Amino acid sequence: MSRVAIKVLTTVTAPYGGSLSAHDLAGRIADPGSAERCDPLVFAFFSEVSPGLQQAFIDEMHVDPTAARQVAARFSELAGYSLPFVSECRLAA
């Protein structure tokens, strides 16, 4: 597992315990249902992981950045405050 994935997974799972693979998290951060289910691990990704590390994880895991930004935007609406990924995401060409 890469250093990026280890840092991200440590950050998002620390408050909740349990185990989650990098591939599982990658799928969740691009899944609109994650926001509707209020998935705490996905919310932790968008709220607790630094924007640069979020972007590195998304790039490394080949997550669709547009889908991830839509999920982050929905979490931002639900939380009532702006999450960094919504405005700082660089869209891959």
Side-chain angles (χ1 to χ4, degrees):
M1 188 176 327
S2 76
R3 293 175 73 190
V4 168
I6 290 169
K7 286 181 182 181
V8 168
L9 291 175
T10 299
T11 301
V12 302
T13 61
Y16 306 103
S19 138
L20 179 73
S21 76
H23 291 287
D24 288 340
L25 181 60
R28 289 180 183 195
I29 63 175
D31 177 9
S34 294
E36 300 314 313
R37 289 186 302 276
C38 297
D39 186 323
L41 300 174
V42 176
F43 182 69
F45 176 81
F46 290 119
S47 63
E48 301 296 326
V49 175
S50 71
L53 192 54
Q54 289 175 6
Q55 188 64 58
F57 183 81
I58 284 171
D59 290 346
E60 183 175 289
M61 298 304 296
H62 307 288
V63 173
D64 177 355
T66 301
R69 189 156 83 178
Q70 289 170 344
V71 173
R74 182 64 181 130
F75 269 111
S76 185
E77 290 171 12
L78 292 169
Y81 58 89
S82 180
L83 296 170
F85 190 76
V86 176
S87 59
E88 295 182 22
C89 173
R90 83 173 148 73
L91 297 177

XYZ file of all heavy atoms in Angstrom:
692
model
N 0.849 -1.167 0.000
C 0.000 0.000 0.000
C 0.897 1.232 0.000
O 1.920 1.261 0.673
C -0.905 -0.024 1.229
C -1.946 1.045 1.212
S -3.165 1.053 2.577
C -3.401 -0.631 2.989
N 0.495 2.249 -0.729
C 1.311 3.455 -0.851
C 1.252 4.303 0.421
O 0.345 4.157 1.244
C 0.824 4.298 -2.029
O -0.370 4.981 -1.681
N 2.192 5.219 0.546
C 2.215 6.134 1.692
C 0.987 7.025 1.694
O 0.448 7.331 2.752
C 3.484 6.971 1.662
C 4.733 6.124 1.896
C 5.989 6.908 1.744
N 6.126 7.794 2.899
C 7.024 8.747 2.984
N 7.871 8.947 2.007
N 7.090 9.506 4.065
N 0.554 7.437 0.520
C -0.646 8.282 0.413
C -1.851 7.522 0.962
O -2.603 8.038 1.798
C -0.888 8.725 -1.051
C -2.268 9.335 -1.230
C 0.193 9.690 -1.505
N -2.052 6.297 0.500
C -3.196 5.503 0.949
C -3.138 5.255 2.453
O -4.167 5.339 3.137
C -3.256 4.191 0.185
N -1.961 4.967 2.978
C -1.823 4.720 4.417
C -2.199 5.959 5.213
O -2.955 5.877 6.194
C -0.398 4.249 4.755
C -0.175 2.839 4.196
C -0.149 4.280 6.264
C 1.264 2.374 4.242
N -1.712 7.123 4.806
C -2.031 8.362 5.515
C -3.533 8.642 5.475
O -4.136 9.015 6.477
C -1.278 9.544 4.908
C 0.177 9.581 5.235
C 0.831 10.792 4.606
C 2.308 10.819 4.873
N 2.953 12.000 4.276
N -4.130 8.477 4.303
C -5.563 8.745 4.163
C -6.370 7.771 5.014
O -7.254 8.182 5.778
C -5.996 8.682 2.681
C -7.515 8.661 2.544
C -5.416 9.859 1.906
N -6.088 6.491 4.893
C -6.859 5.493 5.639
C -6.689 5.656 7.142
O -7.654 5.488 7.900
C -6.480 4.089 5.196
C -6.915 3.732 3.777
C -6.375 2.364 3.384
C -8.421 3.774 3.631
N -5.500 6.000 7.582
C -5.277 6.234 9.007
C -6.131 7.402 9.490
O -6.746 7.328 10.552
C -3.789 6.513 9.281
O -3.026 5.374 8.879
C -3.536 6.792 10.745
N -6.194 8.448 8.710
C -6.963 9.627 9.095
C -8.460 9.338 9.135
O -9.141 9.720 10.084
C -6.681 10.796 8.127
O -5.286 11.091 8.156
C -7.474 12.034 8.513
N -8.980 8.681 8.109
C -10.435 8.498 8.052
C -10.945 7.394 8.970
O -12.095 7.449 9.408
C -10.964 8.288 6.613
C -10.593 9.449 5.731
C -10.511 6.985 6.011
N -10.111 6.406 9.284
C -10.602 5.318 10.131
C -10.275 5.506 11.604
O -10.901 4.859 12.452
C -10.052 3.947 9.675
O -8.628 3.956 9.765
C -10.505 3.605 8.278
N -9.358 6.393 11.939
C -8.938 6.571 13.335
C -10.108 6.814 14.289
O -10.205 6.153 15.318
C -7.909 7.685 13.450
N -11.030 7.726 13.986
C -12.113 7.974 14.937
C -13.142 6.841 15.014
O -13.895 6.754 15.970
C -12.789 9.233 14.419
C -11.911 9.797 13.371
C -11.040 8.678 12.898
N -13.180 5.986 14.006
C -14.248 4.993 13.917
C -13.770 3.564 14.084
O -14.573 2.651 14.231
C -14.960 5.117 12.564
C -15.433 6.523 12.323
C -14.744 7.372 11.462
C -16.548 7.019 12.984
C -15.161 8.673 11.269
C -16.965 8.319 12.792
C -16.266 9.145 11.934
O -16.679 10.433 11.755
N -12.467 3.357 14.027
C -11.934 2.005 14.102
C -12.297 1.230 12.840
O -12.707 1.787 11.845
N -12.153 -0.037 12.908
C -12.507 -0.863 11.760
C -11.454 -0.828 10.686
O -10.405 -0.214 10.823
N -11.767 -1.494 9.622
C -10.820 -1.623 8.528
C -11.512 -1.290 7.221
O -12.691 -1.603 7.025
C -10.271 -3.043 8.568
O -10.166 -3.612 7.324
N -10.787 -0.653 6.362
C -11.301 -0.227 5.068
C -10.142 -0.249 4.095
O -9.053 0.223 4.423
C -11.863 1.194 5.188
C -12.445 1.853 3.951
C -13.790 1.209 3.611
C -12.644 3.335 4.201
N -10.357 -0.788 2.911
C -9.282 -0.792 1.928
C -9.289 0.531 1.155
O -10.298 1.242 1.115
C -9.446 -1.961 0.952
O -10.476 -1.695 0.021
N -8.155 0.830 0.554
C -8.061 2.036 -0.268
C -9.056 1.965 -1.420
O -9.675 2.976 -1.772
C -6.633 2.202 -0.791
N -9.239 0.795 -1.989
C -10.191 0.647 -3.094
C -11.624 0.869 -2.629
O -12.422 1.470 -3.348
C -10.042 -0.722 -3.760
C -8.755 -0.866 -4.505
N -8.519 -0.232 -5.703
C -7.621 -1.546 -4.206
C -7.295 -0.521 -6.119
N -6.733 -1.303 -5.231
N -11.952 0.396 -1.428
C -13.291 0.630 -0.885
C -13.533 2.127 -0.691
O -14.594 2.643 -1.062
C -13.484 -0.085 0.450
C -13.608 -1.586 0.306
O -13.930 -2.074 -0.798
O -13.374 -2.285 1.322
N -12.563 2.809 -0.108
C -12.718 4.246 0.105
C -12.818 4.975 -1.224
O -13.651 5.867 -1.381
C -11.560 4.810 0.938
C -11.657 6.308 1.224
C -12.923 6.662 1.996
C -10.415 6.775 1.973
N -12.004 4.601 -2.185
C -12.045 5.242 -3.503
C -13.443 5.118 -4.112
O -13.972 6.085 -4.675
C -10.998 4.624 -4.425
N -14.036 3.949 -4.011
C -15.388 3.766 -4.530
C -16.403 4.608 -3.799
O -17.306 5.197 -4.410
N -16.250 4.728 -2.498
C -17.202 5.493 -1.694
C -17.130 6.987 -1.956
O -18.157 7.667 -1.926
C -16.957 5.245 -0.207
C -17.348 3.870 0.253
C -17.058 3.733 1.725
N -17.348 2.408 2.226
C -17.443 2.118 3.515
N -17.254 3.058 4.432
N -17.707 0.892 3.895
N -15.920 7.525 -2.181
C -15.816 8.979 -2.354
C -16.351 9.439 -3.702
O -16.579 10.631 -3.891
C -14.385 9.509 -2.121
C -13.402 8.944 -3.136
C -13.938 9.245 -0.700
C -12.004 9.519 -3.018
N -16.592 8.505 -4.616
C -17.179 8.849 -5.912
C -18.642 8.409 -6.014
O -19.265 8.599 -7.043
C -16.370 8.216 -7.043
N -19.176 7.846 -4.946
C -20.538 7.317 -4.938
C -21.497 8.320 -4.313
O -21.410 8.589 -3.108
C -20.571 6.004 -4.148
C -21.960 5.416 -4.017
O -22.913 5.907 -4.658
O -22.106 4.434 -3.252
N -22.433 8.876 -5.090
C -23.383 9.846 -4.531
C -24.171 9.296 -3.347
O -24.588 10.049 -2.464
C -24.311 10.167 -5.707
C -23.572 9.755 -6.920
C -22.652 8.641 -6.505
N -24.367 7.999 -3.303
C -25.078 7.395 -2.186
C -24.359 7.564 -0.860
O -24.986 7.499 0.203
N -23.053 7.791 -0.899
C -22.292 7.985 0.338
C -22.801 9.199 1.110
O -22.899 9.156 2.336
C -20.806 8.163 0.033
O -20.270 6.978 -0.494
N -23.118 10.254 0.396
C -23.637 11.449 1.060
C -25.048 11.194 1.582
O -25.395 11.605 2.688
C -23.624 12.639 0.107
N -25.846 10.510 0.810
C -27.213 10.233 1.231
C -27.236 9.312 2.450
O -28.135 9.408 3.281
C -28.015 9.638 0.079
C -28.099 10.565 -1.141
C -28.446 12.014 -0.807
O -29.388 12.259 -0.020
O -27.751 12.918 -1.319
N -26.255 8.427 2.564
C -26.142 7.535 3.721
C -25.367 8.189 4.870
O -25.209 7.608 5.932
C -25.426 6.240 3.331
C -26.218 5.316 2.438
C -25.493 3.986 2.209
N -24.172 4.127 1.613
C -23.931 4.247 0.312
N -24.921 4.248 -0.549
N -22.692 4.361 -0.130
N -24.869 9.398 4.617
C -24.040 10.121 5.597
C -22.880 9.243 6.072
O -22.618 9.104 7.270
C -24.879 10.602 6.773
S -26.145 11.785 6.291
N -22.177 8.671 5.121
C -21.043 7.796 5.408
C -19.965 8.583 6.158
O -19.367 9.513 5.607
C -20.490 7.243 4.092
C -19.395 6.216 4.273
O -18.569 6.370 5.193
O -19.367 5.260 3.474
N -19.702 8.236 7.420
C -18.745 9.024 8.201
C -17.315 8.949 7.678
O -16.550 9.898 7.838
C -18.850 8.426 9.609
C -19.362 7.045 9.391
C -20.243 7.117 8.174
N -16.947 7.844 7.040
C -15.587 7.728 6.513
C -15.381 8.639 5.314
O -14.319 9.238 5.148
C -15.280 6.275 6.167
C -15.370 5.298 7.346
C -15.203 3.869 6.869
C -14.363 5.635 8.410
N -16.397 8.773 4.496
C -16.303 9.667 3.341
C -16.308 11.122 3.815
O -15.530 11.946 3.325
C -17.436 9.396 2.331
C -17.387 10.383 1.179
C -17.345 7.964 1.815
N -17.161 11.420 4.785
C -17.155 12.776 5.336
C -15.794 13.094 5.942
O -15.257 14.192 5.742
C -18.257 12.947 6.380
C -18.309 14.341 6.937
C -18.717 15.408 6.154
C -17.911 14.587 8.236
C -18.745 16.703 6.658
C -17.938 15.876 8.752
C -18.358 16.938 7.964
N -15.196 12.134 6.652
C -13.860 12.345 7.224
C -12.835 12.597 6.121
O -11.945 13.436 6.278
C -13.451 11.148 8.083
N -12.958 11.885 5.006
C -12.038 12.112 3.893
C -12.103 13.569 3.438
O -11.076 14.226 3.290
C -12.365 11.182 2.720
C -11.513 11.418 1.505
C -10.238 10.896 1.418
C -11.981 12.180 0.447
C -9.432 11.122 0.297
C -11.195 12.415 -0.674
C -9.920 11.887 -0.745
N -13.309 14.072 3.223
C -13.457 15.429 2.707
C -13.253 16.513 3.756
O -12.956 17.654 3.405
C -14.819 15.596 2.042
C -14.944 14.842 0.748
C -15.893 13.843 0.590
C -14.111 15.121 -0.329
C -16.012 13.141 -0.602
C -14.209 14.421 -1.525
C -15.162 13.434 -1.656
N -13.381 16.176 5.038
C -13.266 17.212 6.062
C -11.974 17.147 6.880
O -11.549 18.170 7.426
C -14.470 17.155 7.012
O -14.520 15.930 7.699
N -11.346 15.981 6.974
C -10.172 15.822 7.833
C -8.852 15.624 7.075
O -7.796 15.862 7.634
C -10.373 14.637 8.780
C -11.591 14.767 9.675
C -11.504 15.936 10.641
O -10.390 16.254 11.095
O -12.552 16.536 10.923
N -8.928 15.176 5.849
C -7.726 14.951 5.039
C -7.401 16.252 4.306
O -8.298 16.897 3.757
C -7.955 13.789 4.038
C -6.763 13.613 3.114
C -8.252 12.491 4.792
N -6.137 16.629 4.292
C -5.741 17.875 3.635
C -6.081 17.822 2.140
O -6.053 16.742 1.526
C -4.246 18.132 3.803
O -3.503 17.217 3.025
N -6.409 18.972 1.544
C -6.763 18.989 0.124
C -5.694 18.384 -0.782
O -6.013 17.662 -1.729
C -6.976 20.473 -0.181
C -7.399 21.057 1.128
C -6.600 20.290 2.160
N -4.425 18.642 -0.490
C -3.356 18.069 -1.312
C -3.314 16.558 -1.235
O -3.099 15.871 -2.240
N -3.515 16.021 -0.040
C -3.532 14.575 0.144
C -4.793 13.968 -0.476
O -4.743 12.883 -1.057
C -3.426 14.230 1.629
C -3.149 12.772 1.993
C -1.906 12.245 1.276
C -3.000 12.634 3.501
N -5.911 14.680 -0.401
C -7.130 14.221 -1.088
C -6.859 14.071 -2.577
O -7.185 13.049 -3.186
C -8.279 15.220 -0.896
C -8.861 15.281 0.474
C -9.896 16.374 0.600
O -10.283 17.034 -0.360
N -10.358 16.599 1.816
N -6.257 15.098 -3.154
C -5.993 15.077 -4.592
C -5.021 13.961 -4.953
O -5.213 13.262 -5.946
C -5.444 16.427 -5.070
C -5.336 16.540 -6.569
C -6.689 16.476 -7.251
O -7.561 17.282 -6.979
N -6.874 15.521 -8.150
N -4.001 13.763 -4.137
C -3.030 12.688 -4.404
C -3.710 11.326 -4.363
O -3.448 10.464 -5.205
C -1.886 12.754 -3.395
N -4.598 11.126 -3.391
C -5.320 9.864 -3.279
C -6.226 9.661 -4.490
O -6.257 8.583 -5.080
C -6.139 9.843 -1.982
C -6.860 8.546 -1.740
C -6.200 7.458 -1.199
C -8.209 8.420 -2.030
C -6.863 6.257 -0.965
C -8.891 7.230 -1.800
C -8.216 6.147 -1.270
N -6.944 10.684 -4.868
C -7.851 10.605 -6.028
C -7.069 10.288 -7.295
O -7.489 9.442 -8.093
C -8.678 11.891 -6.136
C -9.779 11.837 -5.063
C -9.266 12.086 -7.521
C -10.551 13.093 -4.878
N -5.943 10.932 -7.467
C -5.106 10.661 -8.641
C -4.581 9.225 -8.611
O -4.654 8.503 -9.610
C -3.920 11.626 -8.699
C -4.319 13.057 -9.019
O -5.463 13.293 -9.468
O -3.476 13.955 -8.792
N -4.048 8.822 -7.456
C -3.456 7.490 -7.324
C -4.482 6.370 -7.519
O -4.183 5.334 -8.104
C -2.833 7.380 -5.930
C -2.112 6.086 -5.674
C -1.431 6.116 -4.321
O -0.428 6.853 -4.182
O -1.902 5.411 -3.406
N -5.693 6.595 -7.033
C -6.729 5.561 -7.095
C -7.599 5.670 -8.350
O -8.533 4.905 -8.529
C -7.609 5.624 -5.837
C -6.845 5.356 -4.541
S -5.969 3.777 -4.501
C -7.326 2.634 -4.586
N -7.269 6.634 -9.212
C -8.009 6.835 -10.469
C -9.500 7.060 -10.238
O -10.347 6.516 -10.948
C -7.782 5.666 -11.433
C -6.339 5.378 -11.677
N -5.542 6.213 -12.432
C -5.542 4.375 -11.232
C -4.316 5.729 -12.457
N -4.293 4.615 -11.736
N -9.797 7.885 -9.236
C -11.176 8.252 -8.937
C -11.575 9.385 -9.872
O -10.780 10.297 -10.127
C -11.306 8.710 -7.461
C -12.691 9.254 -7.169
C -10.963 7.565 -6.525
N -12.784 9.331 -10.373
C -13.308 10.404 -11.218
C -13.419 11.666 -10.358
O -14.240 11.718 -9.433
C -14.676 10.005 -11.769
C -15.339 11.085 -12.599
O -14.810 12.212 -12.699
O -16.421 10.798 -13.153
N -12.610 12.697 -10.627
C -12.627 13.888 -9.780
C -13.951 14.645 -9.838
O -14.345 15.265 -8.855
C -11.467 14.734 -10.299
C -11.207 14.244 -11.665
C -11.621 12.803 -11.704
N -14.644 14.568 -10.952
C -15.936 15.244 -11.045
C -16.942 14.566 -10.117
O -17.684 15.239 -9.398
C -16.449 15.247 -12.499
O -15.483 15.918 -13.313
C -17.782 15.942 -12.618
N -16.960 13.254 -10.108
C -17.859 12.517 -9.216
C -17.508 12.794 -7.758
O -18.399 13.025 -6.930
C -17.791 11.023 -9.518
N -16.223 12.798 -7.429
C -15.801 13.074 -6.058
C -16.193 14.488 -5.645
O -16.650 14.713 -4.522
C -14.293 12.872 -5.918
N -16.040 15.427 -6.540
C -16.409 16.808 -6.216
C -17.912 16.923 -5.987
O -18.354 17.660 -5.111
C -15.947 17.770 -7.303
C -16.142 19.216 -6.857
C -15.242 20.160 -7.545
N -15.776 20.531 -8.835
C -15.198 21.392 -9.634
N -14.054 21.942 -9.302
N -15.734 21.705 -10.778
N -18.713 16.181 -6.730
C -20.164 16.199 -6.527
C -20.523 15.622 -5.156
O -21.399 16.146 -4.466
C -20.869 15.434 -7.644
C -20.812 16.161 -8.966
C -21.293 15.318 -10.137
O -21.407 14.099 -10.048
N -21.579 15.985 -11.249
N -19.855 14.549 -4.769
C -20.098 13.963 -3.448
C -19.673 14.955 -2.362
O -20.400 15.177 -1.392
C -19.376 12.609 -3.297
C -19.477 12.083 -1.866
C -19.942 11.592 -4.283
N -18.516 15.570 -2.528
C -18.046 16.565 -1.554
C -19.014 17.738 -1.461
O -19.284 18.242 -0.365
C -16.647 17.052 -1.931
N -19.541 18.171 -2.596
C -20.493 19.288 -2.595
C -21.757 18.918 -1.825
O -22.303 19.741 -1.079
C -20.835 19.689 -4.026
N -22.217 17.690 -1.977
C -23.416 17.256 -1.244
C -23.130 17.189 0.250
O -23.951 17.620 1.063
C -23.896 15.901 -1.770
C -25.142 15.413 -1.092
C -26.337 16.333 -1.367
N -27.495 15.816 -0.658
C -28.280 16.540 0.119
N -28.063 17.834 0.272
N -29.300 15.987 0.732
N -21.957 16.672 0.638
C -21.592 16.666 2.044
C -21.488 18.094 2.572
O -21.881 18.368 3.705
C -20.275 15.921 2.281
C -20.449 14.464 2.571
C -20.043 13.504 1.664
C -21.005 14.029 3.760
C -20.200 12.152 1.924
C -21.160 12.680 4.048
C -20.758 11.736 3.119
N -20.968 18.987 1.767
C -20.851 20.387 2.161
C -22.237 20.978 2.439
O -22.440 21.686 3.431
C -20.141 21.174 1.057
O -19.918 22.493 1.444
N -23.195 20.677 1.581
C -24.572 21.142 1.793
C -25.138 20.577 3.096
O -25.763 21.297 3.879
C -25.467 20.702 0.639
C -25.209 21.400 -0.668
C -25.988 20.770 -1.824
O -26.895 19.935 -1.577
O -25.685 21.102 -2.980
N -24.942 19.288 3.309
C -25.469 18.638 4.511
C -24.820 19.189 5.784
O -25.485 19.347 6.805
C -25.261 17.122 4.432
C -26.079 16.387 3.380
C -25.585 14.944 3.219
C -27.568 16.400 3.732
N -23.524 19.470 5.713
C -22.796 19.956 6.880
C -23.079 21.431 7.158
O -22.955 21.889 8.290
C -21.296 19.754 6.692
N -23.435 22.165 6.123
C -23.704 23.588 6.300
C -22.471 24.466 6.236
O -22.506 25.626 6.619
N -21.370 23.914 5.746
C -20.154 24.714 5.553
C -19.359 24.145 4.389
O -19.542 22.994 4.005
C -19.299 24.780 6.829
C -18.843 23.456 7.389
C -17.644 22.873 6.973
C -19.596 22.796 8.350
C -17.222 21.668 7.493
C -19.173 21.586 8.882
C -17.984 21.030 8.451
O -17.563 19.835 8.979
N -18.495 24.969 3.846
C -17.727 24.594 2.665
C -16.606 23.619 3.021
O -15.897 23.808 4.000
C -17.132 25.848 2.019
O -16.391 25.499 0.883
N -16.489 22.592 2.219
C -15.389 21.643 2.354
C -14.342 21.979 1.295
O -14.693 22.304 0.158
C -15.893 20.209 2.171
C -16.882 19.742 3.237
C -17.508 18.416 2.836
C -16.195 19.627 4.583
N -13.062 21.927 1.639
C -12.008 22.368 0.725
C -12.033 21.718 -0.657
O -11.786 22.387 -1.646
C -10.722 22.010 1.452
C -11.094 21.914 2.877
C -12.531 21.471 2.908
N -12.355 20.439 -0.729
C -12.278 19.746 -2.009
C -13.242 20.326 -3.040
O -12.984 20.299 -4.221
C -12.536 18.253 -1.834
C -12.224 17.451 -3.075
C -10.908 17.184 -3.411
C -13.216 16.988 -3.902
C -10.594 16.463 -4.554
C -12.912 16.260 -5.046
C -11.608 15.998 -5.367
N -14.348 20.866 -2.583
C -15.351 21.416 -3.493
C -14.751 22.534 -4.330
O -14.959 22.605 -5.536
C -16.586 21.917 -2.711
C -17.585 22.564 -3.655
C -17.231 20.769 -1.958
N -13.969 23.394 -3.716
C -13.431 24.542 -4.447
C -12.002 24.358 -4.922
O -11.562 25.055 -5.818
C -13.512 25.788 -3.579
O -12.784 25.596 -2.383
N -11.251 23.410 -4.350
C -9.843 23.296 -4.681
C -9.496 22.142 -5.620
O -8.360 21.972 -5.983
C -9.023 23.148 -3.392
C -9.091 24.376 -2.525
C -8.255 24.248 -1.279
O -7.323 23.434 -1.261
O -8.529 24.989 -0.331
N -10.480 21.361 -5.981
C -10.228 20.213 -6.852
C -9.736 20.678 -8.211
O -10.319 21.561 -8.821
C -11.513 19.409 -7.010
S -11.408 18.076 -8.210
N -8.651 20.074 -8.669
C -8.241 20.358 -10.036
C -8.758 19.211 -10.879
O -8.543 18.038 -10.579
C -6.730 20.526 -10.129
C -5.953 19.280 -10.251
C -4.483 19.560 -10.508
N -3.703 18.531 -9.896
C -3.610 17.298 -10.362
N -4.254 16.939 -11.433
N -2.879 16.403 -9.744
N -9.509 19.559 -11.878
C -10.112 18.537 -12.718
C -9.086 18.032 -13.725
O -8.396 18.807 -14.365
C -11.334 19.093 -13.450
C -12.472 19.530 -12.530
C -13.597 20.135 -13.343
C -12.981 18.374 -11.700
N -8.980 16.727 -13.801
C -8.041 16.123 -14.755
C -8.562 16.345 -16.166
O -9.754 16.315 -16.425
C -7.919 14.634 -14.465
N -7.637 16.573 -17.067
C -8.022 16.804 -18.476
C -8.268 15.490 -19.170
O -7.795 14.473 -18.805
C -6.920 17.584 -19.169
